[in-house]
């Protein structure tokens, strides 16, 4: 699943009439980097959630045939945030663990290395803390994600999740952390620290930097 429902407020006027996933970085739609990563991992079925100008995303990507994949859309009349968006898309995602990544990251992380089965409820990828998020999100000890730790890392917005992580959730607007953090406390989330290329495209300056890279 690719998360693509956000408005991208930090982009200012760039996303006033265009959804953030369709902003161009080095001549490509931002979301095309995620699609390429998924395709490279040998995955051919992708669910994309839509909200802000979602019709533009659907028109640009179509059914995915241009990229050699099959794209299915989960439409949100009102944005449901990360957790609510995944919950709504579960009927399209099936009963097995599934990968979720954001549409606004550019990375060379090899998705095919993610675990095919889970020992708990989730497995997340973490990276060194960027300057805009110096305190990080979680710690990591013996491949287990920790809420409290001396050394923290930032959630890379890449992970594998079991549908059971969302068991008992009420449909609506909620963040992924609402279900992920309790699972971490219950020792049900594994993780890894990735030190390769990873960038979050969150501001106009990030687009400029990407174009000049």
């Amino acid at each position: 699943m690719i998360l693509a429902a956000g408005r991208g407020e930090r982009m200012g006027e760039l996303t006033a009439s265009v959804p953030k996933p369709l902003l161009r970085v080095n001549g490509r739609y931002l979301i095309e980097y995620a699609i390429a990563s998924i395709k490279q991992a040998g995955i051919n079925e992708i669910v994309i959630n839509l909200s802000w100008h979602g019709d533009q995303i659907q028109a640009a990507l179509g059914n995915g045939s241009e990229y050699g994949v099959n794209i299915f859309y989960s439409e949100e009349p009102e944005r449901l945030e990360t957790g609510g968006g995944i919950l709504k898309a579960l009927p399209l995602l099936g009963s097995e663990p599934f990968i979720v990544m954001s549409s606004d990251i550019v990375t060379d992380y090899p998705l095919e290395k993610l675990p095919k089965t889970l020992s708990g409820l989730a497995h997340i990828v973490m990276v060194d803390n960027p300057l805009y998020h110096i305190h990080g999100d979680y710690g990591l000890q013996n491949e287990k994600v920790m809420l409290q730790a001396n050394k923290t890392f930032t959630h890379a917005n890449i992970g594998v999740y079991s549908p059971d992580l969302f068991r008992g959730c009420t449909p609506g607007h909620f963040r992924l952390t609402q279900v992920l953090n309790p699972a971490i406390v219950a020792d049900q989330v594994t993780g890894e620290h990735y030190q390769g290329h990873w960038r979050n495209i969150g501001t106009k300056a990030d687009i400029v930097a990407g174009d000049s890279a």
Side-chain angles (χ1 to χ4, degrees):
M1 180 175 182
I2 301 176
L3 299 174
R7 180 169 180 172
E9 290 91 345
R10 289 194 298 157
M11 288 292 180
E13 72 277 4
L14 292 183
T15 54
S17 59
V18 176
K20 183 180 178 183
L22 294 188
L23 296 180
R24 291 188 180 272
V25 177
N26 274 327
R28 301 174 71 183
Y29 291 138
L30 184 52
I31 197 172
E32 288 182 321
Y33 290 94
I35 293 172
S37 293
I38 293 169
K39 173 64 176 176
Q40 185 174 337
I43 300 168
N44 298 316
E45 294 193 343
I46 302 173
V47 174
I48 300 176
N49 69 329
L50 304 175
S51 186
W52 179 252
H53 291 308
D55 56 327
Q56 294 184 32
I57 297 175
Q58 192 163 356
L61 305 181
N63 63 8
S65 59
E66 178 181 345
Y67 305 97
V69 298
N70 296 314
I71 295 178
F72 306 91
Y73 296 98
S74 178
E75 299 184 42
E76 302 172 15
E78 294 184 2
R79 186 187 174 211
L80 298 175
E81 258 293 352
T82 48
I86 296 171
L87 178 64
K88 186 178 187 300
L90 283 184
L92 296 172
L93 293 167
S95 60
E96 298 298 320
F98 50 86
I99 297 171
V100 177
M101 68 184 302
S102 294
S103 61
D104 57 0
I105 58 173
V106 177
T107 181
D108 59 5
Y109 178 85
L111 296 177
E112 64 271 16
K113 300 295 185 182
L114 287 168
K116 304 299 187 295
T117 59
L118 296 172
S119 60
L121 294 173
H123 176 90
I124 63 173
V125 179
M126 295 185 286
V127 295
D128 290 333
N129 298 330
L131 292 177
Y132 64 83
H133 194 58
I134 59 173
H135 297 297
D137 297 306
Y138 304 116
L140 188 63
Q141 183 175 349
N142 299 325
E143 299 184 346
K144 290 285 188 169
V145 178
M146 316 289 291
L147 285 186
Q148 303 292 333
N150 291 329
K151 183 175 179 58
T152 61
F153 303 99
T154 292
H155 191 334
N157 295 327
I158 300 171
V160 182
Y161 304 97
S162 167
D164 288 339
L165 180 66
F166 301 87
R167 181 176 294 173
C169 289
T170 301
H173 181 283
F174 66 92
R175 293 179 178 273
L176 179 59
T177 52
Q178 182 173 317
V179 291
L180 186 61
N181 287 2
I184 292 172
V185 172
D187 204 28
Q188 291 294 303
V189 180
T190 58
E192 61 183 279
H193 175 212
Y194 183 61
Q195 301 182 67
H197 178 68
W198 180 90
R199 291 187 60 228
N200 174 267
I201 308 298
T203 66
K204 289 185 284 186
D206 294 328
I207 291 181
V208 173
D211 285 338
S212 61

